[in-house]
């Protein structure tokens, strides 16, 4: 989750006065990158995935599951082996939670369809190496939200620590769940300090026959309450990054993937439980959104700004958290340019100073407003030693703002001093329990990007409708019960008409809509992919297809079903220690066999 700079992180009182300086320098760094790389051509399609894991410690005799806080030792051990060259084509990274690991392929995959068949084996290798470097009772699970993170009066970490540390001041989470690298506790404390209060997240309770009515937790009635960054950034996901052949293609990819984000969030839904309760929603997104919401009360529109308040932003009120869906399209696409106000139809707050500078530097309006929008945020963590940089070789200040805008997509300029091209990161998907499933969703999205670019598909629709889909994607069993806005006709020159379709229709096609999988199959049939490869790819497409049609449950639906049908469950929405242990053990079993919960 962003760069790990070394140095002394400044507390908020010292960081805030430097915010404008960091933004100004960051914009200069961006301008330098842009002028160097805007005409960079001929980069090849490369892509990679990131998987996030929780290390869970299972005690078979006590029948307990705990989050293991050994991230540092585990990563240290893996790094040593990597340095000796004994890991193979995989690599491991830290994450926010001290119980988390992240793993990626060591080198990116290529666009060759046969490379798509390397994804699952690579994911399996990542997991098996991780497992070998854990204690015998620890297991690496790709669980999106840990059901008992933050339960009261019962340990959920190994070792146990009481809550209420100086960084999060949480009533539920100890600061010891946070990666101890200075960046993370400082992010946590500075988000809280900037906001002026602890973060506050309320998720609706899933009401069962014995659930107390009203259900009273620590927040509003009938909601599960959370109060720390760790509840959000302690969630795991599956992300994909694509290198485009040039900036134009990267901008196209960004725009066309934006309307897909909510659909993929709903399809991969895997997080139906928080703080020991089943929730009435299936995805993590709004939890993380709330968990890093550093907006002040006036930026949230709750109170007028303090007297004498000034800002470079075009408005005091900022409608969304730093972690949220994207706010504007940015491609130089005739469809968009012909009717920009129709598609970019929500209020876009920009940093006026940044906008002017980018404008002067020759950025076109869409690209300038994209970055000027990201630059409405303050840099949360500033390292004293890194304040003064050479803007022609460094991107540190730019990245400070860029990498703490956690949106459904990230448009990534080439890092200075590398031969990496323009990239787009696809960030909404929830991590799936097994490598097969993670590979399936990865293959599906990679192929869909090929289809979008080859057929020049047109998924443009007003951003407000994408946002509406985003809200709907959280609903319990959204795949089965909800419909989503989409462009009626996805041809280039089609009229601006939108319709609400089920995920089944969108993915599998219907009388009204061609369907992503039929489009992918048509694309594959037209390429020279051999039969064996096609057959293998079909297994992945089939899983996605059945998830979309409801023939197979999402992870969220499967977890809810597992909990509610367990003999120890009391129909009261609570996930007890023994039910959680059973769930984690079953997930471990399925993961080792690489057979998806709910079947294939
Ligand atoms: N774990 C976060 C999520 O579930 C993403 C952190 C990152 O950007 O690496 O979305
Ligand atoms: Mg990550």
């Amino acid at each position: 989750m962003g760069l790990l700079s070394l140095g002394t992180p400044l507390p908020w009182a010292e960081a805030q006065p430097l915010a404008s300086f960091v933004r100004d320098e960051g914009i200069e760094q961006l301008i330098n990158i842009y002028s160097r790389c805007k005409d960079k051509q001929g980069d090849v399609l490369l892509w990679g995935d990131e998987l996030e894991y929780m290390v869970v410690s299972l005690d078979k005799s006590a029948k307990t599951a705990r989050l293991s806080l050994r991230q540092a030792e585990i990563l240290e051990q893996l790094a040593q082996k990597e340095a000796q060259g004994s890991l193979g084509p995989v690599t491991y990274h830290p994450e926010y939670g001290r119980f988390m690991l992240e793993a990626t392929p060591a080198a990116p995959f290529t666009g060759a369809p046969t490379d798509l068949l390397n994804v699952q084996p690579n994911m399996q290798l990542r997991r098996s190496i991780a497992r070998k470097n854990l204690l015998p009772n620890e297991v690496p699970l790709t669980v999106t939200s840990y059901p008992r993170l933050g339960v009261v009066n019962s340990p959920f970490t190994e070792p146990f620590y009481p809550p209420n540390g100086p960084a999060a001041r949480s009533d539920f989470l100890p600061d010891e769940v946070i990666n101890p690298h200075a960046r993370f506790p400082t992010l946590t404390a500075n988000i809280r300090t900037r906001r002026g209060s602890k973060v506050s997240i309320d998720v609706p309770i899933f009401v069962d026959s014995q659930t107390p009515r009203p259900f009273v937790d620590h927040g509003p009635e009938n909601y599960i309450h959370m109060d720390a960054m760790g509840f959000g950034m302690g969630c795991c996901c599956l992300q994909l990054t694509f290198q485009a052949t040039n900036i134009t293609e990267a901008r196209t990819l960004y725009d066309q993937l934006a309307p897909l984000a909510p659909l993929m969030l709903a399809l991969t839904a895997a997080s139906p439980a928080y703080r020991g309760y089943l929730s009435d929603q299936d995805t993590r997104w709004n939890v993380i959104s709330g968990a890093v919401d550093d907006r002040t009360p006036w930026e949230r529109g709750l109170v007028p700004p303090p007297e004498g308040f000034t800002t470079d932003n075009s408005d005091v009120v900022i409608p969304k958290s730093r972690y949220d869906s994207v706010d504007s399209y940015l491609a130089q696409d005739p469809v968009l340019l012909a009717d920009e106000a129709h598609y970019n139809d929500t209020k876009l707050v920009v940093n006026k100073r940044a906008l002017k500078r980018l404008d002067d530097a020759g950025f076109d309006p869409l690209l300038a407003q994209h970055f000027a929008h990201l630059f409405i945020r303050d840099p949360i963590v500033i390292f004293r030693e890194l304040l003064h940089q050479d803007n022609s070789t460094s991107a540190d200040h730019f990245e400070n703002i860029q990498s703490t805008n956690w949106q459904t997509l990230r448009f990534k300029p080439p890092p200075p001093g590398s031969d990496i091209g323009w990239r787009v990161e696809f960030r909404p998907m929830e991590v799936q329990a097994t490598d097969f499933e993670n590979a399936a969703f990865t293959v599906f999205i990679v192929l869909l990007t090929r289809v979008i670019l080859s057929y020049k598909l047109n998924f443009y629709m007003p951003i407000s409708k994408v946002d509406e889909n985003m809200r709907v994607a959280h609903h319990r069993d959204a795949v089965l019960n909800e419909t989503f806005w989409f462009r009626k006709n996805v041809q280039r020159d089609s009229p601006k008409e939108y319709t609400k379709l089920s995920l089944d229709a969108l993915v599998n096609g219907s009388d009204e809509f061609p369907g992503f999988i039929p489009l992918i199959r048509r694309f594959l049939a037209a390429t020279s992919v051999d039969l064996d490869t096609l057959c293998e790819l079909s297994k992945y497409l089939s899983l996605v297809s059945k998830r979309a049609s409801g023939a197979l449950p999402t992870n969220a639906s499967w977890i809810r079903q597992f909990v509610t049908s367990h003999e120890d469950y009391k129909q009261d929405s609570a996930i007890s220690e023994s039910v959680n242990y059973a769930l984690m053990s079953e997930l471990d079993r399925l993961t080792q066999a690489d057979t998806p919960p709910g079947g294939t």
Side-chain angles (χ1 to χ4, degrees):
M1 67 163 289
L3 77 171
L4 283 190
S5 308
L6 285 171
T8 319
L10 299 175
W12 187 241
E14 286 174 57
Q16 182 155 47
L18 298 167
S20 276
F21 171 78
V22 169
R23 267 193 300 267
D24 285 354
E25 297 284 291
I27 287 290
E28 295 309 315
Q29 296 176 353
L30 171 64
I31 290 169
N32 288 334
I33 296 173
Y34 181 71
S35 53
R36 238 188 351 257
C37 302
K38 65 180 191 307
D39 300 321
K40 204 168 181 289
Q41 288 292 339
D43 293 313
V44 290
L45 167 73
L46 293 174
W47 62 274
D49 72 277
E50 290 163 54
L51 282 180
E52 294 170 347
Y53 306 77
M54 297 193 188
V55 180
V56 178
S57 169
L58 295 173
D59 184 333
K60 286 207 175 81
S61 50
K63 292 207 179 322
T64 58
R66 304 272 192 267
L67 291 168
S68 160
L69 301 181
R70 293 197 323 109
Q71 182 195 58
E73 293 100 296
I74 298 164
L75 284 176
E76 173 63 39
Q77 190 170 321
L78 287 164
Q80 277 176 16
K81 295 191 180 167
E82 186 171 352
Q84 293 156 5
S86 62
L87 275 196
V90 299
T91 181
Y92 297 83
H93 318 272
E95 249 302 334
Y96 179 87
R98 202 163 142 193
F99 48 87
M100 292 164 82
L101 300 174
E102 182 178 295
T104 61
F109 298 111
T110 71
T114 45
D115 231 14
L116 290 171
L117 304 186
N118 293 329
V119 179
Q120 189 186 356
N122 189 283
M123 288 176 171
Q124 288 171 336
L125 183 66
R126 276 177 249 170
R127 198 188 294 268
S128 73
I129 291 177
R131 184 181 290 270
K132 281 186 203 125
N133 285 276
L134 300 179
L135 298 177
N137 61 321
E138 289 172 338
V139 295
L141 297 182
T142 34
V143 169
T144 294
S145 73
Y146 187 72
R148 283 177 62 83
L149 179 72
V151 286
V152 183
N153 295 329
S154 173
F156 53 88
T157 59
E158 172 65 53
F160 167 81
Y161 292 97
N164 252 304
R169 297 204 187 145
S170 168
D171 294 336
F172 312 108
L173 297 186
D175 280 355
E176 285 82 358
V177 299
I178 308 170
N179 180 334
H181 183 289
R183 172 180 155 85
F184 300 97
T186 309
L187 255 178
T188 310
N190 287 4
I191 283 176
R192 176 176 52 70
T193 313
R194 186 184 191 284
R195 175 183 167 94
S197 60
K198 286 198 289 186
V199 294
S200 176
I201 310 140
D202 295 299
V203 163
I205 185 81
F206 169 76
V207 179
D208 209 340
S209 61
Q210 301 304 314
T211 310
R213 297 299 296 274
F215 169 85
V216 185
D217 189 34
H218 297 70
E221 282 184 3
N222 301 321
Y223 285 84
I224 308 163
H225 181 67
M226 292 169 271
D227 68 347
M229 181 169 172
F231 284 107
M233 285 300 180
C235 290
C236 294
C237 68
L238 161 65
Q239 292 167 340
L240 304 177
T241 301
F242 299 93
Q243 172 177 277
T245 54
N246 55 38
I247 186 173
T248 310
E249 188 181 275
R251 292 171 71 168
T252 298
L253 213 43
Y254 181 94
D255 281 11
Q256 297 307 322
L257 285 172
L260 289 170
L263 312 184
M264 296 315 295
L265 179 63
L267 258 184
T268 57
S271 41
Y274 300 90
R275 271 203 48 243
Y277 299 106
L278 285 172
S279 63
D280 205 34
Q281 70 174 48
D282 279 359
T283 80
R284 78 198 189 292
W285 195 267
N286 59 5
V287 176
I288 313 187
S289 198
V292 294
D293 190 356
D294 70 331
R295 290 173 302 161
T296 59
W298 48 96
E299 284 172 346
R300 279 176 279 146
L302 302 175
V303 298
E307 208 161 315
F309 173 85
T310 59
T311 175
D312 286 331
N313 292 347
S314 57
D315 203 323
V316 173
V317 175
I318 299 179
K320 290 182 188 172
S321 162
R322 312 173 74 106
Y323 184 107
D324 218 308
S325 48
V326 298
D327 292 300
S328 65
Y329 296 108
L330 52 73
Q332 277 169 313
D333 184 316
V335 173
L336 174 64
L337 293 171
D339 227 332
E340 204 230 316
H342 170 79
Y343 295 110
N344 285 334
D345 69 331
T346 59
K347 191 182 94 178
L348 195 73
V349 184
V350 291
N351 181 303
K352 291 181 290 181
R353 215 175 135 83
L355 187 68
K356 168 140 199 336
R357 182 67 191 101
L358 293 172
D359 219 32
D360 292 345
F363 279 53
D364 59 85
L366 287 174
L367 199 60
Q369 84 171 13
H370 167 78
F371 286 113
H373 173 60
L374 300 185
F375 273 68
I376 61 175
R377 311 289 172 176
D378 278 344
I380 298 291
V381 183
I382 299 175
F383 289 96
R384 191 190 308 280
E385 295 79 357
L386 296 178
L387 206 50
H388 298 285
Q389 296 169 20
D390 178 351
N391 289 342
S392 63
T393 55
S394 173
D396 231 57
H397 288 318
F398 167 69
E399 281 298 335
N400 192 331
I401 305 285
Q402 160 98 339
S403 71
T404 51
N405 271 277
W406 297 278
Q407 299 185 322
T408 39
L409 287 145
R410 191 177 280 156
F411 180 66
K412 301 173 86 164
S418 79
D419 48 15
I420 298 172
W422 293 88
R423 290 172 300 166
V424 173
E425 189 178 7
F426 188 65
R427 307 171 43 85
M429 292 192 283
E430 306 224 319
V431 79
Q432 306 295 290
T434 64
D435 295 315
F436 178 82
E437 299 163 274
N438 287 309
F441 283 103
T442 298
V443 164
F444 172 73
I445 292 294
V446 174
L447 286 172
L448 196 49
T449 63
R450 300 306 91 199
V451 169
I452 289 168
L453 294 175
S454 309
Y455 296 153
K456 300 194 169 30
L457 296 180
N458 169 11
F459 293 169
Y460 279 117
M461 61 188 204
I463 286 278
S464 62
K465 288 198 159 47
V466 181
D467 285 351
E468 195 181 323
N469 285 349
M470 205 62 195
R471 284 186 285 277
V472 169
H474 285 79
H475 295 174
R476 174 160 54 87
D477 288 328
V479 176
L480 304 179
N481 304 329
E482 302 289 351
T483 54
F484 294 82
W485 285 111
F486 214 74
R487 195 172 177 104
K488 236 177 164 166
N489 181 321
V490 296
Q491 302 303 314
R492 285 276 78 213
D493 50 3
S494 58
K496 295 182 302 240
E497 287 172 5
Y498 314 97
T499 182
K500 286 185 113 178
L501 296 167
S502 66
L503 276 165
D504 187 22
L506 287 160
V507 171
N508 295 314
S510 71
D511 295 345
E512 285 179 87
F513 192 79
F516 304 133
I517 289 191
L519 285 166
I520 289 173
R521 291 199 187 280
R522 196 167 102 199
F523 168 80
L524 286 172
T527 56
S528 53
V529 180
D530 62 88
L531 262 177
D532 284 352
T533 307
L534 264 184
C535 235
E536 288 296 310
L537 293 178
S538 270
K539 289 188 203 157
Y540 299 128
L541 295 179
S542 160
L543 181 92
V544 176
S545 164
K546 288 180 187 166
R547 289 278 173 92
S549 72
L552 292 176
T554 60
N555 278 190
S557 154
W558 181 89
I559 291 171
R560 192 184 304 281
Q561 181 62 32
F562 183 94
V563 168
T564 54
S565 56
H566 192 276
E567 56 181 10
D568 293 350
Y569 176 66
K570 304 214 163 53
Q571 284 70 50
D572 58 356
S573 317
I575 303 172
S576 65
E577 178 96 73
S578 66
V579 173
N580 184 57
Y581 170 77
L583 175 63
M584 292 302 128
S585 306
E586 179 62 2
L587 286 173
D588 180 42
R589 192 185 69 78
L590 293 166
T591 300
Q592 293 207 54
D594 205 357
T595 52
T600 50

